[in-house]
Amino acid sequence: MQTFEELTKELKLDSKQSQVVKSYFENLIVELLESLKVDNLENFDDTINSVKSG
């Protein structure tokens, strides 16, 4: 897998462009992780509720 630094060099981004792209990716990753967290919590709640009612 390519590192962020390798990607910025390959794309020949200057430092400002690099920072903007890095910020974009970081925000995207945070959104993905938050979504996974919510999905996992909902799955746990569904499982707990099914065990309680079963």
Coordinates of all heavy atoms in Angstrom, one line a residue:
M1 N 0.8 -1.2 0.0 CA 0.0 0.0 0.0 C 0.9 1.2 0.0 O 1.9 1.3 0.7 CB -0.9 0.0 1.2 CG -1.8 1.2 1.3 SD -3.0 1.1 2.7 CE -4.2 0.2 1.9
Q2 N 0.5 2.2 -0.7 CA 1.2 3.5 -0.9 C 1.0 4.4 0.3 O -0.1 4.5 0.8 CB 0.7 4.1 -2.1 CG 1.6 5.2 -2.7 CD 1.1 5.7 -4.0 OE1 -0.1 5.8 -4.3 NE2 2.0 6.1 -4.9
T3 N 2.1 5.0 0.8 CA 1.9 6.0 1.9 C 1.4 7.3 1.3 O 1.5 7.6 0.1 CB 3.2 6.2 2.6 OG1 4.1 6.9 1.7 CG2 3.9 5.0 3.1
F4 N 0.9 8.1 2.2 CA 0.4 9.4 1.8 C 1.6 10.3 1.2 O 1.4 10.9 0.2 CB -0.2 10.2 3.0 CG -0.8 11.5 2.6 CD1 -2.0 11.6 1.8 CD2 -0.1 12.7 2.8 CE1 -2.5 12.8 1.4 CE2 -0.6 13.9 2.4 CZ -1.8 14.0 1.7
E5 N 2.7 10.2 1.8 CA 3.9 10.9 1.3 C 4.3 10.5 -0.1 O 4.6 11.3 -1.0 CB 5.1 10.8 2.3 CG 4.9 11.5 3.5 CD 4.0 10.9 4.5 OE1 3.7 9.7 4.4 OE2 3.5 11.6 5.4
E6 N 4.2 9.2 -0.3 CA 4.5 8.6 -1.7 C 3.5 9.1 -2.7 O 3.8 9.5 -3.8 CB 4.5 7.1 -1.7 CG 5.7 6.5 -0.9 CD 5.6 5.0 -0.7 OE1 4.4 4.5 -0.7 OE2 6.6 4.4 -0.4
L7 N 2.3 9.2 -2.3 CA 1.2 9.6 -3.2 C 1.4 11.1 -3.5 O 1.3 11.5 -4.7 CB -0.2 9.4 -2.5 CG -1.4 9.9 -3.3 CD1 -1.5 9.2 -4.6 CD2 -2.7 9.8 -2.5
T8 N 1.7 11.9 -2.5 CA 1.9 13.3 -2.8 C 3.1 13.6 -3.7 O 3.0 14.5 -4.6 CB 2.0 14.2 -1.5 OG1 3.1 13.7 -0.8 CG2 0.7 14.1 -0.7
K9 N 4.1 12.8 -3.6 CA 5.3 12.9 -4.5 C 4.9 12.5 -5.9 O 5.3 13.1 -6.9 CB 6.4 12.1 -3.9 CG 7.1 12.7 -2.8 CD 8.3 11.9 -2.3 CE 8.9 12.4 -1.0 NZ 9.9 11.6 -0.5
E10 N 4.2 11.4 -6.0 CA 3.8 10.9 -7.3 C 2.9 11.9 -8.0 O 3.0 12.1 -9.2 CB 3.0 9.6 -7.1 CG 2.6 8.9 -8.4 CD 1.9 7.6 -8.2 OE1 2.4 6.8 -7.4 OE2 0.9 7.4 -8.9
L11 N 2.0 12.5 -7.3 CA 1.1 13.5 -7.9 C 1.7 14.9 -8.0 O 1.1 15.8 -8.5 CB -0.2 13.6 -7.1 CG -1.0 12.4 -7.0 CD1 -2.2 12.5 -6.0 CD2 -1.5 12.0 -8.4
K12 N 3.0 15.0 -7.5 CA 3.7 16.3 -7.5 C 2.9 17.4 -6.9 O 2.8 18.5 -7.5 CB 4.1 16.6 -8.9 CG 5.1 15.6 -9.5 CD 5.5 15.9 -10.9 CE 6.5 14.9 -11.3 NZ 6.3 14.2 -12.6
L13 N 2.4 17.2 -5.7 CA 1.6 18.2 -5.0 C 2.6 19.1 -4.2 O 3.5 18.6 -3.6 CB 0.6 17.6 -4.1 CG -0.4 16.6 -4.7 CD1 -1.3 16.0 -3.6 CD2 -1.2 17.3 -5.7
D14 N 2.3 20.4 -4.1 CA 3.1 21.2 -3.3 C 2.5 21.1 -1.8 O 1.6 20.3 -1.6 CB 3.0 22.7 -3.7 CG 1.6 23.3 -3.7 OD1 0.8 23.0 -2.8 OD2 1.4 24.2 -4.5
S15 N 3.2 21.7 -0.9 CA 2.8 21.5 0.5 C 1.4 21.9 0.8 O 0.7 21.2 1.6 CB 3.8 22.2 1.4 OG 3.8 23.5 1.2
K16 N 0.9 23.0 0.2 CA -0.5 23.4 0.5 C -1.5 22.4 -0.1 O -2.4 22.0 0.6 CB -0.7 24.8 -0.1 CG -2.1 25.4 0.2 CD -2.3 26.8 -0.4 CE -3.7 27.3 0.0 NZ -3.9 28.6 -0.6
Q17 N -1.2 22.0 -1.3 CA -2.1 21.0 -1.9 C -2.1 19.7 -1.1 O -3.1 19.0 -0.9 CB -1.7 20.7 -3.3 CG -1.9 21.8 -4.3 CD -1.2 21.6 -5.6 OE1 -0.1 21.1 -5.7 NE2 -1.9 22.0 -6.7
S18 N -0.9 19.3 -0.7 CA -0.8 18.1 0.1 C -1.6 18.2 1.4 O -2.2 17.2 1.8 CB 0.7 17.9 0.4 OG 0.9 16.8 1.3
Q19 N -1.5 19.3 2.1 CA -2.2 19.5 3.3 C -3.8 19.4 3.1 O -4.5 18.8 3.9 CB -1.9 20.8 4.0 CG -2.4 20.9 5.4 CD -2.0 19.8 6.3 OE1 -0.9 19.4 6.3 NE2 -2.9 19.3 7.1
V20 N -4.2 20.0 2.0 CA -5.7 19.9 1.7 C -6.1 18.5 1.4 O -7.1 18.1 2.0 CB -6.0 20.9 0.5 CG1 -7.4 20.6 0.0 CG2 -5.8 22.3 0.8
V21 N -5.4 17.8 0.7 CA -5.7 16.4 0.3 C -5.6 15.5 1.6 O -6.5 14.7 1.9 CB -4.8 15.8 -0.8 CG1 -5.0 14.3 -0.9 CG2 -5.0 16.6 -2.1
K22 N -4.6 15.8 2.4 CA -4.5 15.0 3.7 C -5.7 15.3 4.6 O -6.2 14.3 5.2 CB -3.2 15.4 4.4 CG -2.9 14.5 5.6 CD -1.6 14.9 6.2 CE -1.3 14.0 7.4 NZ 0.0 14.3 8.0
S23 N -6.1 16.5 4.7 CA -7.2 16.9 5.5 C -8.5 16.2 5.0 O -9.3 15.7 5.8 CB -7.4 18.4 5.6 OG -8.5 18.7 6.3
Y24 N -8.7 16.2 3.7 CA -9.8 15.5 3.1 C -9.8 14.0 3.4 O -10.9 13.5 3.9 CB -9.8 15.7 1.6 CG -10.8 14.9 0.9 CD1 -12.2 15.4 0.8 CD2 -10.5 13.7 0.2 CE1 -13.1 14.7 0.2 CE2 -11.5 13.0 -0.4 CZ -12.8 13.5 -0.4 OH -13.8 12.7 -1.1
F25 N -8.7 13.4 3.3 CA -8.7 11.9 3.6 C -8.9 11.7 5.1 O -9.6 10.7 5.4 CB -7.3 11.3 3.2 CG -7.2 11.0 1.7 CD1 -6.1 11.5 1.0 CD2 -8.2 10.3 1.1 CE1 -6.1 11.2 -0.4 CE2 -8.1 10.0 -0.3 CZ -7.0 10.5 -1.0
E26 N -8.3 12.5 5.9 CA -8.5 12.3 7.4 C -10.0 12.5 7.7 O -10.6 11.7 8.5 CB -7.7 13.3 8.1 CG -6.2 13.0 8.1 CD -5.4 14.1 8.7 OE1 -5.9 15.2 8.9 OE2 -4.2 13.8 9.0
N27 N -10.7 13.4 7.2 CA -12.1 13.6 7.4 C -12.9 12.5 6.9 O -13.9 12.0 7.5 CB -12.6 14.9 6.8 CG -12.1 16.1 7.5 OD1 -11.8 16.1 8.7 ND2 -12.0 17.3 6.8
L28 N -12.5 12.0 5.7 CA -13.2 10.8 5.1 C -13.1 9.6 6.0 O -14.0 8.8 6.3 CB -12.6 10.5 3.8 CG -13.4 9.8 2.8 CD1 -14.7 10.4 2.4 CD2 -12.6 9.6 1.5
I29 N -11.9 9.4 6.6 CA -11.6 8.2 7.4 C -12.4 8.3 8.7 O -13.0 7.4 9.2 CB -10.1 8.1 7.7 CG1 -9.4 7.6 6.4 CG2 -9.8 7.1 8.8 CD1 -7.9 7.7 6.5
V30 N -12.5 9.5 9.3 CA -13.2 9.7 10.5 C -14.7 9.4 10.3 O -15.4 8.8 11.1 CB -13.0 11.2 11.1 CG1 -14.0 11.5 12.2 CG2 -11.6 11.3 11.6
E31 N -15.2 9.9 9.2 CA -16.7 9.6 8.8 C -16.9 8.1 8.7 O -17.9 7.6 9.2 CB -17.1 10.3 7.6 CG -17.3 11.8 7.7 CD -17.8 12.5 6.4 OE1 -18.5 11.9 5.7 OE2 -17.4 13.6 6.2
L32 N -16.0 7.4 8.0 CA -16.1 6.0 7.9 C -16.1 5.3 9.2 O -16.9 4.4 9.5 CB -15.0 5.5 7.0 CG -14.9 4.0 6.8 CD1 -16.2 3.4 6.1 CD2 -13.7 3.6 6.0
L33 N -15.1 5.7 10.1 CA -15.0 5.0 11.4 C -16.3 5.3 12.2 O -16.8 4.4 12.9 CB -13.8 5.5 12.1 CG -12.5 5.0 11.5 CD1 -11.3 5.7 12.2 CD2 -12.3 3.5 11.6
E34 N -16.8 6.5 12.2 CA -18.0 6.8 12.9 C -19.2 6.0 12.4 O -20.0 5.5 13.2 CB -18.3 8.3 12.8 CG -17.4 9.2 13.7 CD -17.6 10.7 13.5 OE1 -18.3 11.1 12.6 OE2 -17.0 11.4 14.4
S35 N -19.3 5.8 11.1 CA -20.3 5.0 10.6 C -20.2 3.6 11.0 O -21.2 2.9 11.4 CB -20.3 5.1 9.0 OG -21.3 4.3 8.4
L36 N -19.0 3.0 11.0 CA -18.8 1.7 11.4 C -19.1 1.5 12.9 O -19.7 0.5 13.3 CB -17.3 1.3 11.2 CG -16.9 1.0 9.7 CD1 -15.4 0.9 9.6 CD2 -17.7 -0.2 9.2
K37 N -18.8 2.5 13.7 CA -19.1 2.5 15.1 C -20.6 2.4 15.4 O -21.1 1.6 16.1 CB -18.5 3.7 15.8 CG -18.8 3.8 17.3 CD -18.2 5.1 17.8 CE -18.6 5.4 19.3 NZ -18.1 6.7 19.8
V38 N -21.3 3.3 14.7 CA -22.8 3.3 14.8 C -23.4 1.9 14.4 O -24.2 1.4 15.1 CB -23.4 4.5 14.0 CG1 -24.9 4.3 13.9 CG2 -23.0 5.8 14.6
D39 N -22.9 1.4 13.3 CA -23.4 0.1 12.8 C -23.1 -1.0 13.8 O -24.0 -1.8 14.1 CB -22.8 -0.3 11.4 CG -23.3 0.5 10.3 OD1 -24.3 1.3 10.5 OD2 -22.7 0.5 9.2
N40 N -21.9 -1.0 14.4 CA -21.6 -2.0 15.4 C -22.5 -1.9 16.6 O -22.9 -2.9 17.2 CB -20.1 -1.9 15.8 CG -19.2 -2.6 14.8 OD1 -19.6 -3.5 14.1 ND2 -18.0 -2.1 14.7
L41 N -22.7 -0.6 17.1 CA -23.5 -0.4 18.2 C -25.0 -0.9 18.0 O -25.6 -1.6 18.8 CB -23.5 1.0 18.7 CG -22.2 1.5 19.3 CD1 -22.3 3.0 19.6 CD2 -22.0 0.8 20.6
E42 N -25.5 -0.6 16.8 CA -26.8 -1.1 16.4 C -26.9 -2.6 16.4 O -27.8 -3.2 16.8 CB -27.2 -0.5 15.1 CG -27.5 1.0 15.2 CD -27.8 1.7 13.8 OE1 -27.8 1.0 12.8 OE2 -28.1 2.9 13.8
N43 N -25.8 -3.2 15.8 CA -25.8 -4.7 15.8 C -25.8 -5.3 17.2 O -26.4 -6.3 17.4 CB -24.6 -5.2 15.0 CG -24.7 -4.9 13.5 OD1 -25.8 -4.8 13.0 ND2 -23.6 -4.9 12.8
F44 N -25.0 -4.7 18.1 CA -25.0 -5.2 19.5 C -26.4 -5.0 20.1 O -26.8 -5.9 20.8 CB -23.9 -4.4 20.3 CG -22.5 -4.9 20.2 CD1 -21.5 -4.2 19.6 CD2 -22.2 -6.2 20.7 CE1 -20.3 -4.7 19.5 CE2 -21.0 -6.7 20.5 CZ -20.0 -5.9 20.0
D45 N -27.0 -3.9 19.9 CA -28.3 -3.6 20.5 C -29.3 -4.7 19.9 O -30.1 -5.2 20.7 CB -28.8 -2.2 20.2 CG -28.1 -1.2 21.0 OD1 -27.4 -1.5 22.0 OD2 -28.1 0.0 20.6
D46 N -29.3 -4.9 18.6 CA -30.2 -5.9 18.0 C -29.9 -7.3 18.6 O -30.9 -8.0 18.9 CB -30.0 -6.0 16.5 CG -30.5 -4.7 15.8 OD1 -31.2 -3.9 16.4 OD2 -30.1 -4.5 14.6
T47 N -28.7 -7.7 18.8 CA -28.3 -9.0 19.3 C -28.8 -9.1 20.8 O -29.4 -10.1 21.2 CB -26.8 -9.2 19.2 OG1 -26.4 -9.1 17.9 CG2 -26.5 -10.6 19.8
I48 N -28.6 -8.1 21.6 CA -29.0 -8.1 23.0 C -30.5 -8.2 23.1 O -31.0 -9.0 23.9 CB -28.5 -6.8 23.7 CG1 -27.0 -6.9 23.9 CG2 -29.2 -6.6 25.1 CD1 -26.3 -5.6 24.3
N49 N -31.2 -7.4 22.2 CA -32.7 -7.4 22.3 C -33.2 -8.8 21.8 O -34.2 -9.3 22.4 CB -33.2 -6.3 21.4 CG -33.0 -5.0 22.0 OD1 -32.9 -4.8 23.2 ND2 -32.9 -4.0 21.2
S50 N -32.6 -9.4 20.9 CA -33.0 -10.7 20.4 C -32.8 -11.8 21.5 O -33.6 -12.7 21.7 CB -32.4 -11.2 19.1 OG -31.0 -11.4 19.2
V51 N -31.7 -11.7 22.2 CA -31.4 -12.6 23.3 C -32.4 -12.4 24.5 O -32.9 -13.4 25.0 CB -29.9 -12.5 23.8 CG1 -29.7 -13.3 25.1 CG2 -28.9 -12.9 22.7
K52 N -32.7 -11.2 24.8 CA -33.6 -10.9 25.8 C -35.0 -11.4 25.5 O -35.7 -11.9 26.4 CB -33.7 -9.4 26.1 CG -32.5 -8.8 26.9 CD -32.8 -7.3 27.1 CE -31.7 -6.7 28.0 NZ -31.9 -5.3 28.2
S53 N -35.4 -11.3 24.3 CA -36.8 -11.7 23.9 C -36.9 -13.1 23.5 O -38.0 -13.7 23.4 CB -37.3 -10.8 22.8 OG -36.5 -11.0 21.6
G54 N -35.7 -13.8 23.3 CA -35.7 -15.2 22.9 C -35.9 -16.1 24.0 O -36.4 -17.1 24.1

